[in-house]
Amino acid sequence: MFVKASVKKGFGVVNQSLVIVAVLSLFGFVWNLINIYFTPRLQNPSIKVSAIMIAASLVFISLSIFLQAGTLGYVRDTLKQGHADLAAFISVGTRYYFRLLLVGIIITLTVMIFVLLGALFVALLKTVGIVIAVVIGLVAIYVILLMFFAPYAVVIGDEKPIASIKKSIGLVKKNLLGVLGISGILLLIGFVIGLLIGVIFGLLNVAAPGTVSQAITALLSSILNAYLGIFVTASFMNFYLEITNTPGV
């Protein structure tokens, strides 16, 4: 019941959040343009080009965390109050920046541990190691899924990083089928939209090959990613609010 209602709610929220869609689209577009410019130069990069790309990547990651936090806060207020504004976006982005950063670091380190374990078994045991690595990969997916709601717990429940991960693990375990159900629906929607957009991009590249086509593709993909990003966030957040019985949904 919560799954279908949450997906429907997600569409409603994203259509109320076009200002944030525009902000995220602009951010993504600028990053895409940077990649278009530097990609040919990275085939045989100089020290200067490498340093610029590393610096740009660090800035991108830092801003992404702020935008993620702000988006979560904006969507939270829209779901609970029926509206939100840019002040809430900036306020939440600032308040929860370091908590979400720490959550991201913990999840990244967890992924790295599983990757290193899988690589180690493959290197030491060859064929048998590949089988073990596949099992480790499946376990890793499950563990990461358990931590999925941690950012939501930070912004909605004002949880600290470790507490948010613990809460996420408990919630996902109790509502695993629902989490898998809403994930499947959202993946299917994303796949269908991505397929259609891919055809459009392909035709665009044929009609106007070169830098202009790349720039238009970068703009359209930025808008699409921003729209889908808020849609997915709103759908999962509504589901989170429902399973935690949070007032104001």
Side-chain angles (χ1 to χ4, degrees):
M1 181 174 121
F2 292 156
V3 172
K4 291 182 180 179
S6 294
V7 173
K8 183 178 179 181
K9 199 79 170 181
F11 276 117
V13 169
V14 73
N15 290 328
Q16 289 180 259
S17 309
L18 296 182
V19 172
I20 305 304
V21 171
V23 171
L24 298 182
S25 297
L26 178 60
F27 175 71
F29 181 53
V30 171
W31 177 245
N32 285 337
L33 289 181
I34 291 173
N35 279 315
I36 290 172
Y37 178 80
F38 280 102
T39 295
R41 293 162 176 77
L42 290 176
Q43 295 178 357
N44 295 294
S46 64
I47 295 176
K48 180 180 179 181
V49 170
S50 298
I52 291 174
M53 278 306 296
I54 291 172
S57 297
L58 291 174
V59 171
F60 174 78
I61 293 171
S62 299
L63 289 176
S64 294
I65 296 170
F66 174 80
L67 293 174
Q68 181 194 21
T71 300
L72 285 167
Y74 192 94
V75 170
R76 177 199 65 190
D77 288 355
T78 302
L79 283 170
K80 296 182 70 175
Q81 303 171 12
H83 63 88
D85 53 41
L86 282 176
F89 181 90
I90 296 171
S91 174
V92 174
T94 303
R95 179 174 181 179
Y96 294 112
Y97 181 88
F98 287 106
R99 293 192 198 181
L100 290 184
L101 174 62
L102 288 174
V103 168
I105 290 173
I106 292 170
I107 294 175
T108 300
L109 290 176
T110 302
V111 172
M112 290 177 62
I113 290 171
F114 279 110
V115 170
L116 290 173
L117 280 175
L120 181 62
F121 277 109
V122 170
L124 294 177
L125 302 176
K126 306 300 180 183
T127 303
V128 176
I130 293 175
V131 176
I132 296 174
V134 170
V135 174
I136 290 174
L138 293 174
V139 173
I141 292 172
Y142 177 66
V143 170
I144 294 168
L145 181 64
L146 290 176
M147 296 188 286
F148 180 81
F149 281 128
Y152 296 85
V154 168
V155 174
I156 296 172
D158 197 29
E159 302 281 0
K160 297 296 195 304
I162 298 299
S164 71
I165 290 174
K166 289 180 178 178
K167 185 167 186 176
S168 175
I169 291 172
L171 286 173
V172 174
K173 282 183 177 180
K174 291 179 181 178
N175 301 275
L176 184 58
L177 290 179
V179 172
L180 292 176
I182 191 171
S183 299
I185 292 174
L186 293 176
L187 283 172
L188 181 60
I189 292 172
F191 175 78
V192 172
I193 294 176
L195 189 62
L196 294 174
I197 295 299
V199 172
I200 294 173
F201 286 168
L203 294 174
L204 181 61
N205 287 328
V206 172
T211 305
V212 173
S213 174
Q214 288 181 316
I216 295 174
T217 299
L219 175 61
L220 294 178
S221 64
S222 299
I223 295 172
L224 176 65
N225 289 334
Y227 188 92
L228 288 178
I230 296 176
F231 163 62
V232 170
T233 298
S235 298
F236 274 117
M237 183 172 287
N238 187 80
F239 183 79
Y240 179 96
L241 292 170
E242 292 285 5
I243 63 177
T244 55
N245 296 312
T246 303
V249 183

